[in-house]
Amino acid sequence: MKIRVAGYAKLAKLWEKNREQAISYHTEYFEQKYQNNEHYELIGVYVDITGARDIRKRPEMIRLLSDCINGNVDEIVAQTKGYL
């Protein structure tokens, strides 16, 4: 059984202008990282573009935590662990 992994990225508010490009980039990054991996299955990519440090103001983090609580995600991977 593969470990179900979710990718998370929190980007600075300045990325709001290029939101679609930023989301596309991070989605592709995580998809390539886990492509053809025999141990992990990428469940989804969650990207918050915000200046907020408070988790309650990060909708994708809330959605990710909800998916974890519901048993859909086994492991969270982030490029920068300080944002978890």
Side-chain angles (χ1 to χ4, degrees):
M1 187 169 140
K2 290 186 175 187
I3 297 170
R4 297 167 299 170
V5 65
Y8 179 76
K10 179 188 175 290
L11 305 176
K13 188 74 171 166
L14 63 95
W15 280 100
E16 190 63 49
K17 290 181 185 177
N18 298 316
R19 180 179 199 79
E20 294 306 314
Q21 179 184 4
I23 291 171
S24 176
Y25 170 81
H26 287 282
T27 300
E28 188 175 320
Y29 168 81
F30 285 111
E31 285 175 348
Q32 286 181 5
K33 184 173 181 163
Y34 292 101
Q35 183 179 3
N36 302 321
N37 189 307
E38 63 184 69
H39 301 291
Y40 293 94
E41 175 187 1
L42 182 65
I43 296 301
V45 178
Y46 304 75
V47 180
D48 277 316
I49 300 176
T50 179
R53 296 176 116 184
D54 190 339
I55 289 175
R56 293 174 292 180
K57 295 181 181 177
R58 294 197 240 158
E60 286 296 284
M61 175 58 86
I62 298 294
R63 187 170 72 90
L64 172 56
L65 293 174
S66 176
D67 286 348
C68 290
I69 290 168
N70 291 329
N72 300 323
V73 175
D74 300 315
E75 189 172 306
I76 300 170
V77 178
Q79 291 174 316
T80 305
K81 67 181 178 180
Y83 291 132
L84 284 179

